[in-house]
Amino acid sequence: MISNNMRPRNTSQEQGNPLPALEAREICKQYRGTSSPALDNLTLTIQQGDFFGLLGVNGAGKTTAVSIFSGLALPDTGTATVLGYDVVSQAGKIKQLTGLVPQDIALYDPLTAWENLSFFGKLQGLRGATLQQQIERSLTVAGLVERARDQVTSFSGGMKRRLNLAAGLIHQPQVLILDEPTVGVDTQSRHMIHNALLELNSQGTTILYTGHYLEEIEKLCSRIGVIDHGKMIAMGTPQELLHNSNHKNLEELFLQLTGKQVRD
Amino acid sequence: MKLFVVAAKELLLLRRDRAGLVVLFLMPAILVVIITLVQENVMALTGQKPTTMLLLDMDQEQLGNIIRQRLESLNIALTSWSTTEHTREDLVTAVHSGDYQFGLIIPQGTSAALQEKARQIAGAAGSTQQPVTDDPVQLSMVIDPTLLPSLRNGVTAQLDMAAELLSLQYTMAWIQRSLAEGVPSSTDLTPPPPQQAETTSQQNNPAQPLLTFTETSTLQEQQLPAYSPTQQNVPAWALFGMFFTAIPIAGSILQERNSGIMARLVSSPVSQASFQLGKVAAYIGICLSQFMVICLIGMYLFPYIGLTPFSLGEQPLAALLVVLCSGLAACGYGLLLGNLCSTYEQASTVGATTVVAAAALGGIMVPVYAMPSTMQQVSQLSPLNWGLTAFQNLLVRGNPLTAVAEDLGKLVAFFILSSFLSWLISSRKRLR
C-alpha cells in the first residue's frame, strides 16, 4: 500500500513530452431542450501524468466534459484532444487509450466479477493469458480477488464501486477518466479506491477525476480546475489556488467561487 | 470478433435469468399444447366471410354458367379466369400459394359428356335395358391445403349437393324431352325381376350423380402431412414465442442505457453495430432453440395427448431458414423497442401489446382467411403473417423454397429497417 499523502509529480513537462493528455479549446455544448449551455467556451489542458481534479456544483458541466473526452458526446464548437487525438475524428484511437469509470455502477449484476472484467477486457481486445493477468491485476487493485467468482448482485455498494473502477482499468489505459467514483461508498472502500488511484498515477497514468468531496480532491489531485456554468473559473495546484485566494481550505475557496446558494 | 464477445455475454446473462428463460420457452410451449387441444375439437368456423374460389371454364358451354350461378348462391366469392390467358397449372399455382381457397376446372367437352350421360340415363329410365355404367363426369377441384377441415368439408358438401342437383336437372330435362317426343312402345312399365332390378340398381345407382367434383393436385407425388391444427399451431406459436424475445432484447438495451453500462460500452473501441448485432446473434440462437423445443413437443408429446404429431415435411432446412429470417425480424423489433422506449416497463407493455396484436393480425390465433376483408389487408403488414405464410407454404402446401422468397425478403427487410432505425435513434440519443 502507498501512503495517502503520496502525490504524483511526473508531469509531461518533466518528461519532455509536449503532447497534453487531455486538452479542450473553447468547447461549447448545449443539449437540446435546454436554455443554457452545459459547456461555455471551456478551455482546459491536462498534462500527461497529471492527477487532475475537476470540481463543480451539480450541473456545472463536469459530466459533459468527461463525456466529450470519453467519446460519449460531441462538442458543438471548439476542439478537444486526448493524447493528441481529436475526439471527433479519431474517437476510435482515443477509446483504446482511455478508461472510463462512469458515475453509475456500469456492471452486469447477474455476472460474476471475473465475468464482468473478462467481458470488458475482451471489448478492449485482450485475450488469453494477457486477459487473465489483467483481470487478476484489476481484482487485486480493487481488493476483490476473494470474490472474483461471486455474482455482482451479491456485492455491497463499496465492492461494486471498486469493481466499477477495476473495469475501467482492465486494459491499463494511459488516461483514466473517473466521474464521481466514490459516491455513496464507505470510508474503507473510499480509502482503497484512493490508494489504487494514487498508485496508478505514480505509475504514469493520467487521471481526470470529478467529484464533490473537496478534501478528497485536495488529497489526491496535483492540479484542480473549478468549473461553473460550463466555464473554467479557476485552475492550478491546490497550493496555488489557496495561496492566491487567501483561503484556508478548498471548501472556503469553492464557496467563494461558486456561491452559497443551493443548486439543483 | 467482438460481436461474438457481446453475443456470449448476452447468452451468459440469459443463462443467469432463469425466470426469463422459463417465460421464453414455457409460454409458447404451453400455448401450443392448449390451443391445439382446443382447436382439435372446435373446428367450426362461424365467420361470415365468403369462401374464395377460382373458376377456369375450359368447356365454355352452358354448364359453366349454371355452375357459376349455383356457386354464387352458396356465398362463394367466385373469380372466373379466361382460358385464353390462364392454364390449369396457373390455377393450381394460385390456389396452392394461398391466393384462393378453392379452384374449379371445367374440362373441355364436359357439357357434351354430361348431356350424353343424361340422355342415356333418361333413355334407360323405366326400361330393363342396361344403362350406361361409365364413371360420372368429373370436374377438377383444387383445394388450399391449409384450409381447416371444417371449411373444406362444408364447401365440398355444398358442391356435392350442387352436383346432385345439376345431375337431376339434366336428367329431368332429358326425361321431359323424351316424354314430349312420346313414350317408346317397347317400354315395359312392369317392375323388373328382383335379380334384374338389383343389377340395374347397382349399375345405375340413383345416389350416384352424373357429375362429381374430384380433388386434384400437382403435389400428389409429395408426402405432405395432412392438414391438422398441429401443422398450423406448432409454427404459429413458435413464431409467437420468437417475437416475444423482442422484450428481453429491449430490456437488455434499456438496462445497459439506464445503468451506465452503455456509457462504458460506448467508450470502448467497439462499434455500435457490433453491440447490436451481438445481441441479435445471441437471440437468434434463442429463437432457433425455441423453435426446436416447440417442434419436439409437437413431434413427441402431441401423440401422447391425442393430437396429430407435427411433421417438418421434406424441407427441414428451408423451415430453418424461415426460423432464421423470423428470428432476425423479431430481434430487429427488439432493438427498435429498446431504443425507442425509456424504461423497461414501457418496453414490456408496448412489446407485449404489439406482439399479441401482430400475432392476432398475422393469423396466429385465427386463420387470416377467416378474418373480414379489411383485416385481411391489414394482416399483410404483420411480420408474424409473413413468417406464418412462409411456414404454411413449406410445411402444409409443400411449395418449394422459391415460393416463400417474398415472405423471407419481407422479414429480412423488416430486420434491416428496424436495425437501421435503432442505430439512428441510439446514435442521436448518445450524441445529442
Side-chain angles (χ1 to χ4, degrees):
Chain A
M1 282 294 168
I2 52 178
S3 65
N4 283 350
N5 59 3
M6 186 173 126
R7 294 259 174 84
R9 290 293 179 265
N10 52 339
T11 58
S12 56
Q13 284 87 350
E14 288 165 351
Q15 293 173 340
N17 189 342
L19 272 180
L22 300 162
E23 188 169 41
R25 286 188 185 173
E26 297 179 345
I27 283 183
C28 291
K29 175 74 181 176
Q30 183 161 357
Y31 294 108
R32 251 180 271 151
T34 57
S35 56
S36 55
L39 293 179
D40 185 5
N41 284 307
L42 180 79
T43 295
L44 163 71
T45 301
I46 301 173
Q47 299 299 341
Q48 289 190 43
D50 271 359
F51 197 136
F52 190 91
L54 191 58
L55 278 171
V57 297
N58 290 330
K62 301 186 300 291
T63 299
T64 302
V66 162
S67 296
I68 286 174
F69 284 126
S70 313
L72 302 179
L74 297 177
D76 296 337
T77 58
T79 58
T81 59
V82 177
L83 294 164
Y85 295 103
D86 184 71
V87 294
V88 178
S89 59
Q90 295 171 301
K93 186 67 185 171
I94 289 173
K95 289 173 180 180
Q96 292 172 353
L97 300 171
T98 57
L100 173 69
V101 179
Q103 189 173 342
D104 299 315
I105 303 287
L107 301 166
Y108 294 100
D109 276 358
L111 303 189
T112 64
W114 185 282
E115 288 164 346
N116 267 287
L117 294 177
S118 173
F119 171 64
F120 291 118
K122 284 175 183 170
L123 290 188
Q124 292 290 348
L126 303 177
R127 296 286 184 276
T130 310
L131 175 65
Q132 186 156 342
Q133 284 167 10
Q134 289 301 327
I135 294 172
E136 286 166 358
R137 185 189 68 86
S138 300
L139 286 169
T140 305
V141 168
L144 291 169
V145 175
E146 302 295 318
R147 302 294 300 271
R149 302 292 174 185
D150 291 345
Q151 288 184 24
V152 174
T153 191
S154 68
F155 283 13
S156 68
M159 291 164 75
K160 285 181 181 175
R161 279 280 166 204
R162 277 147 48 203
L163 186 61
N164 203 32
L165 169 67
L169 338 154
I170 187 72
H171 58 298
Q172 283 193 295
Q174 290 185 45
V175 178
L176 185 62
I177 300 172
L178 304 108
D179 193 6
E180 302 185 23
T182 56
V183 171
V185 300
D186 59 28
T187 307
Q188 284 75 14
S189 284
R190 187 178 300 173
H191 180 74
M192 181 171 267
I193 289 171
H194 290 171
N195 281 344
L197 293 176
L198 288 168
E199 170 116 26
L200 284 166
N201 185 238
S202 71
Q203 292 166 0
T205 306
T206 306
I207 296 176
L208 169 59
Y209 188 105
T210 76
H212 291 293
Y213 302 119
L214 298 176
E215 75 284 5
E216 185 177 85
I217 298 272
E218 189 174 1
K219 185 174 74 178
L220 293 171
C221 301
S222 54
R223 292 177 69 229
I224 294 169
V226 181
I227 187 171
D228 199 26
H229 297 297
K231 291 181 179 175
M232 192 62 77
I233 55 173
M235 191 157 57
T237 65
Q239 294 80 6
E240 284 169 356
L241 291 173
L242 292 172
H243 178 75
N244 295 340
S245 64
N246 291 322
H247 285 292
K248 292 176 189 170
N249 55 50
L250 273 181
E251 186 170 340
E252 284 182 15
L253 170 65
F254 186 72
L255 288 172
Q256 189 215 326
L257 290 170
T258 59
K260 291 184 178 176
Q261 193 177 354
V262 174
R263 300 205 210 152
D264 295 317
Chain B
M1 192 63 191
K2 286 175 181 172
L3 184 150
F4 295 110
V5 172
V6 177
K9 179 263 298 176
E10 288 296 332
L11 290 174
L12 196 54
L13 284 171
L14 271 171
R15 211 179 75 191
R16 298 276 156 78
D17 181 14
R18 288 182 187 152
L21 274 181
V22 165
V23 170
L24 276 181
F25 284 90
L26 208 59
M27 182 217 21
I30 290 172
L31 283 172
V32 73
V33 173
I34 292 175
I35 301 292
T36 311
L37 275 170
V38 169
Q39 286 193 351
E40 186 73 12
N41 293 315
V42 185
M43 299 293 288
L45 280 176
T46 55
Q48 299 297 310
K49 184 81 188 66
T51 307
T52 56
M53 186 180 284
L54 187 57
L55 177 69
L56 187 64
D57 183 6
M58 304 171 94
D59 183 47
Q60 296 291 322
E61 295 289 342
Q62 194 190 5
L63 178 67
N65 291 332
I66 296 170
I67 288 178
R68 204 171 284 120
Q69 284 168 8
R70 287 227 60 84
L71 293 177
E72 280 168 354
S73 71
L74 295 174
N75 195 30
I76 289 175
L78 197 66
T79 303
S80 295
W81 269 3
S82 161
T83 49
T84 55
E85 294 172 12
H86 297 281
T87 63
R88 182 188 188 93
E89 284 69 33
D90 292 339
L91 180 139
V92 174
T93 304
V95 174
H96 279 239
S97 63
D99 295 342
Y100 298 89
Q101 293 165 332
F102 293 87
L104 181 61
I105 301 163
I106 306 177
Q108 194 172 11
T110 304
S111 288
L114 192 62
Q115 291 278 7
E116 177 58 22
K117 282 205 65 84
R119 186 191 64 75
Q120 289 174 352
I121 287 177
S127 76
T128 56
Q129 197 180 346
Q130 291 284 328
V132 177
T133 58
D134 289 343
D135 291 334
V137 177
Q138 293 185 348
L139 300 183
S140 300
M141 173 73 75
V142 185
I143 303 177
D144 180 0
T146 67
L147 279 192
L148 289 177
S150 55
L151 182 59
R152 170 194 290 251
N153 294 341
V155 172
T156 51
Q158 286 179 320
L159 291 174
D160 286 342
M161 283 174 66
E164 284 180 21
L165 205 60
L166 275 170
S167 304
L168 197 62
Q169 281 176 346
Y170 267 79
T171 310
M172 288 304 294
W174 270 103
I175 289 172
Q176 283 173 354
R177 191 169 157 184
S178 300
L179 289 172
E181 288 171 358
V183 179
S185 56
S186 60
T187 302
D188 182 1
L189 294 176
T190 55
Q195 179 65 36
Q196 196 177 6
E198 189 181 340
T199 308
T200 306
S201 174
Q202 280 176 348
Q203 291 175 337
N204 186 21
N205 183 359
Q208 174 86 358
L210 302 182
L211 188 67
T212 58
F213 294 92
T214 308
E215 187 174 348
T216 183
S217 169
T218 54
L219 306 168
Q220 280 170 351
E221 67 277 8
Q222 292 185 20
Q223 293 299 310
L224 285 178
Y227 179 83
S228 74
T230 299
Q231 291 301 116
Q232 156 85 10
N233 285 328
V234 167
W237 292 101
L239 270 173
F240 185 67
M242 276 188 247
F243 272 81
F244 252 85
T245 57
I247 296 172
I249 294 174
S252 157
I253 291 170
L254 286 162
Q255 193 244 337
E256 285 173 347
R257 200 167 67 209
N258 297 339
S259 70
I261 294 174
M262 187 63 81
R264 173 163 279 151
L265 295 178
V266 173
S267 70
S268 61
V270 182
S271 68
Q272 186 68 12
S274 291
F275 290 127
Q276 300 216 348
L277 292 176
K279 285 185 193 298
V280 169
Y283 280 90
I284 285 288
I286 296 293
C287 289
L288 284 167
S289 307
Q290 279 179 317
F291 184 76
M292 284 176 193
V293 167
I294 304 293
C295 282
L296 291 174
I297 288 172
M299 287 171 179
Y300 299 106
L301 176 68
F302 276 19
Y304 286 102
I305 53 176
L307 294 171
T308 317
F310 175 69
S311 166
L312 267 175
E314 294 185 341
Q315 304 181 81
L317 289 179
L320 278 181
L321 191 61
V322 179
V323 176
L324 189 67
C325 293
S326 303
L328 279 175
C331 291
Y333 183 58
L335 295 179
L336 187 60
L337 202 60
N339 284 295
L340 274 176
C341 296
S342 307
T343 62
Y344 179 74
E345 288 71 23
Q346 264 183 27
S348 58
T349 307
V350 173
T353 309
T354 49
V355 169
V356 170
L361 282 175
I364 303 294
M365 295 153 189
V366 176
V368 173
Y369 59 76
M371 295 178 189
S373 304
T374 313
M375 296 311 288
Q376 286 193 22
Q377 297 296 318
V378 177
S379 77
Q380 301 301 311
L381 301 174
S382 166
L384 280 95
N385 175 263
W386 308 333
L388 186 59
T389 306
F391 274 126
Q392 286 182 333
N393 273 326
L394 289 175
L395 303 181
V396 184
R397 297 189 178 110
N399 288 334
L401 187 60
T402 49
V404 301
E406 188 185 335
D407 289 313
L408 297 189
K410 284 181 190 171
L411 288 164
V412 173
F414 181 83
F415 164 70
I416 292 170
L417 181 67
S418 50
S419 300
F420 174 72
L421 287 174
S422 317
W423 173 80
L424 207 62
I425 295 165
S426 164
S427 302
R428 285 174 72 94
K429 279 186 176 174
R430 187 163 56 86
L431 297 174
R432 70 184 173 188

